[in-house]
Amino acid sequence: MNHRNNKFLLAMATGLVIFGSKVHASYQADAWQHTGAFSTNVTASTDNSSFMKAIDGNTRINRLSLVGTHDSAASTGGSIAFTSTIVGSTITGAFSGPALQDIVRTQTMPLTEQMKAGIRFFDIRVKHRNDKFQLYHGVSDLGADMDGVLSEIKEFLNKHPEEVIMARVRNEDDDDKNASINRASGNTRYFGETLHSYIKKYGESLFWNNSEGESNPTLRSVRGKIIILSDFPLGNASATLPDGSLAEKEIIGPTGKFKYGLSYRQARIHDSYNLDTKWSLYDKWENLKKYLATTNSQTPSSNLDIGYMSGSGGGALPYFVAGGRMHANTSANHLWTGATETATGINRSKWPDFPRGSCTWGIGWICSIFFSGLNELTATWLAKNNPQYAGILVADFPGNDLIDRVIRLNAPFTGMQQLAGQEWVSLSSNGVDPQCASNDGINCLLGASLADAKRATTAVVCGKDHQAKLGVTGYENKSHWCSMARDKITRDRGENSSTR
């Protein structure tokens, strides 16, 4: 049975009084409405390939609200190599299979589809093997290397030069401190030398050159670039090549810092990933909720804010933490916590943000309390609290309900203009269609002040979104506000293209 399809649940969610007792005030009927925040689909549900086109180029990157993916390349379970000695004989092999996949896999969309969906932060984890970067998730070899990552990003940015990709590059081999060449793994050079070989191969113009040691560039200065967030130790500063030059000099700028991006560890990072049990999921949510509120309200610094929504441990697998599901499937039911809430008040305050469902009638009503994943809980929080800023939220299995909500935080009504019909319009986050400020997602605000329009809770977007809601794209009639807004925005952007 699908726990969400429960008429009794819906009746109580509207405030129906039974024996003088209403369902808990925090009854999460709306949590079921954000199940699209978790997805195991292999293709993007929404095309957000060009959403950064609508963001003012003067925006500093630390004020962007973005969704990233944790262990971005882990769309398979990979394999774990082993060596075993039995009766004096050494056996080598590799372990793989469905069980490993549920433990290791954190994504289902390949990188190109992730970027299409709107992902702009990648968590790339590698081990230095045979002078190449092999992709890993922990001890699991993902069967691919850095060439696949960079070729996909380069192709995407060539098609969408207004976008930017931030890529955390982490050395997953914790024992490799890069103090010397790791020859045991077949390497003949330092980690940084191999990184520079990739930069040369794919063209230095693809990467943001931070020779001046800037900590917070504008979006305009990094459009079409990869910003590497370095999470690896640089080699021994005194290590030299046969010609006497420093081994990793090519990736070190004049300021002595990493040249092709920023230091990952300079960011304000929230990453409490370890769960003791499945029931620890609510504790992790409480911590994440505090991070969301603090990030939205704190005084901006020049550093990035990076919050990880991912987690595992204690029997809680990545898909469960992200989606609260029984299985790693978008359509799978949510797992029952084993607890119930009753009309008499039992467990009324227990895990209040978790949804209730599968209600039955006994002596009063009894509703089961279900797990909800962090993707869904976060999307619900965003919908309720309407924050101005969320930083970079790094997720496993992100769905369009989460991605789209975060994208809309990026000054959704920048450059607003009022039409003759008094609609306030601007370019939407898809970078193509205009939108109007709205409080219900159906009707444009009319006659409101600019200040009130900027505080609107949502927008009506012309094109496919407008057609899905209202039956027409808005472009069929030249007198429709969509047609007039498109003409005005296109004209104005053409006039101002040199300054954006």
Side-chain angles (χ1 to χ4, degrees):
M1 175 178 133
N2 191 318
H3 313 307
R4 301 189 288 279
N5 296 330
N6 190 302
K7 293 181 180 178
F8 191 67
L9 161 66
L10 295 177
M12 290 191 296
T14 61
L16 178 63
V17 178
I18 301 176
F19 283 161
S21 175
K22 276 199 295 187
V23 176
H24 189 281
S26 296
Y27 197 100
Q28 290 299 310
D30 56 348
W32 297 127
Q33 298 173 14
H34 299 288
T35 54
F38 168 82
S39 175
T40 56
N41 295 341
V42 297
T43 57
S45 300
T46 306
D47 189 350
N48 289 313
S49 297
S50 300
F51 81 85
M52 287 183 155
K53 185 187 294 184
I55 303 176
D56 192 325
N58 291 319
T59 305
R60 296 284 175 175
I61 63 168
N62 75 320
R63 299 313 296 166
L64 296 173
S65 294
L66 305 172
V67 176
T69 47
H70 159 249
D71 267 299
S72 304
S75 57
T76 69
S79 62
I80 300 176
F82 67 85
T83 300
S84 179
T85 302
I86 302 177
V87 194
S89 299
T90 300
I91 301 173
T92 60
F95 172 72
S96 61
L100 182 61
Q101 177 166 285
D102 278 348
I103 295 171
V104 174
R105 188 176 64 168
T106 57
Q107 312 300 330
T108 49
M109 289 188 290
L111 299 184
T112 296
E113 288 297 315
Q114 291 183 37
M115 289 183 284
K116 180 179 179 181
I119 300 301
R120 295 295 179 267
F121 171 97
F122 286 144
D123 176 23
I124 305 299
R125 306 189 180 205
V126 303
K127 290 189 179 183
H128 197 196
R129 299 288 184 266
N130 301 308
D131 290 339
K132 290 185 177 182
F133 288 165
Q134 189 73 12
L135 303 182
Y136 271 77
H137 180 181
V139 296
S140 183
D141 184 343
L142 299 178
D145 62 28
M146 193 63 134
D147 279 311
V149 173
L150 293 177
S151 61
E152 287 192 56
I153 297 177
K154 182 174 183 177
E155 182 178 359
F156 178 82
L157 290 177
N158 282 342
K159 294 178 179 177
H160 307 283
E162 67 284 344
E163 307 300 297
V164 61
I165 299 295
M166 299 185 203
R168 174 197 184 189
V169 177
R170 167 178 160 77
N171 186 352
E172 197 77 330
D173 194 343
D174 291 330
D175 294 330
D176 182 5
K177 304 303 181 184
N178 201 32
S180 60
I181 296 174
N182 185 1
R183 299 187 186 279
S185 295
N187 299 308
T188 64
R189 57 192 180 191
Y190 284 90
F191 190 97
E193 291 181 272
T194 294
L195 176 61
H196 190 248
S197 73
Y198 283 111
I199 292 172
K200 288 193 298 183
K201 180 176 181 179
Y202 289 91
E204 291 207 17
S205 62
L206 178 63
F207 301 86
W208 178 52
N209 190 318
N210 190 20
S211 294
E212 297 180 1
E214 191 172 356
S215 61
N216 190 22
T218 63
L219 176 58
R220 179 185 295 109
S221 67
V222 296
R223 288 193 192 273
K225 307 290 185 182
I226 299 173
I227 301 176
I228 297 176
L229 303 180
S230 60
D231 191 14
F232 51 84
L234 296 175
N236 188 330
S238 62
T240 59
L241 300 175
D243 64 2
S245 62
L246 291 177
E248 294 184 310
K249 66 181 185 302
E250 299 295 345
I251 64 169
I252 306 298
T255 61
K257 297 180 179 180
F258 180 65
K259 179 178 174 181
Y260 292 100
L262 300 168
S263 170
Y264 171 76
R265 294 293 165 180
Q266 288 181 352
R268 295 189 287 199
I269 301 169
H270 168 82
D271 189 12
S272 58
Y273 64 89
N274 190 53
L275 278 71
D276 295 326
T277 70
K278 290 180 178 177
W279 291 266
S280 302
L281 179 60
Y282 202 86
D283 294 331
K284 179 169 173 60
W285 164 237
E286 290 282 12
N287 289 332
L288 179 59
K289 186 163 55 172
K290 290 177 183 176
Y291 168 80
L292 290 167
T294 300
T295 299
N296 179 50
S297 61
Q298 69 189 355
T299 302
S301 75
S302 61
N303 298 319
L304 298 171
D305 292 293
I306 304 175
Y308 283 82
M309 300 164 57
S310 54
S312 63
L317 297 173
Y319 70 81
F320 168 78
V321 175
R325 304 300 210 278
M326 298 174 67
H327 308 290
N329 191 291
T330 304
S331 60
N333 279 338
H334 288 69
L335 187 66
W336 180 39
T337 62
T340 57
E341 182 182 341
T342 71
T344 58
I346 295 176
N347 287 332
R348 181 162 295 179
S349 60
K350 191 177 186 67
W351 304 316
D353 291 343
F354 278 174
R356 275 64 168 161
S358 295
C359 301
T360 59
W361 178 261
I363 304 177
W365 52 262
I366 301 174
C367 293
S368 296
I369 304 175
F370 291 92
F371 288 106
S372 185
L374 295 181
N375 293 12
E376 300 160 325
L377 291 166
T378 300
T380 302
W381 187 92
L382 293 171
K384 283 184 173 182
N385 292 276
N386 195 28
Q388 300 299 305
Y389 171 71
I392 301 172
L393 296 178
V394 187
D396 290 339
F397 307 104
N400 67 290
D401 193 14
L402 173 66
I403 298 170
D404 294 352
R405 287 186 183 280
V406 174
I407 286 175
R408 287 200 293 268
L409 300 182
N410 291 291
F413 305 122
T414 295
M416 294 189 74
Q417 304 172 68
Q418 194 169 31
L419 300 178
Q422 297 190 314
E423 301 93 347
W424 285 100
V425 299
S426 62
L427 188 65
S428 73
S429 61
N430 67 27
V432 177
D433 297 302
Q435 64 182 4
C436 73
S438 171
N439 283 330
D440 61 10
I442 301 294
N443 301 293
C444 298
L445 290 178
L446 299 178
S449 67
L450 176 59
D452 286 341
K454 287 185 176 180
R455 286 193 291 268
T457 58
T458 187
V460 181
V461 182
C462 301
K464 292 181 179 179
D465 184 65
H466 195 280
Q467 187 172 39
K469 293 178 179 178
L470 300 169
V472 294
T473 64
Y475 300 136
E476 295 86 352
N477 187 335
K478 290 186 178 181
S479 64
H480 192 281
W481 72 264
C482 284
S483 294
M484 292 189 290
R486 182 174 63 176
D487 292 343
K488 184 173 180 57
I489 290 171
T490 300
R491 181 177 62 251
D492 290 349
R493 283 181 62 82
E495 294 172 355
N496 297 326
S497 61
S498 61
T499 60
R500 280 193 61 82

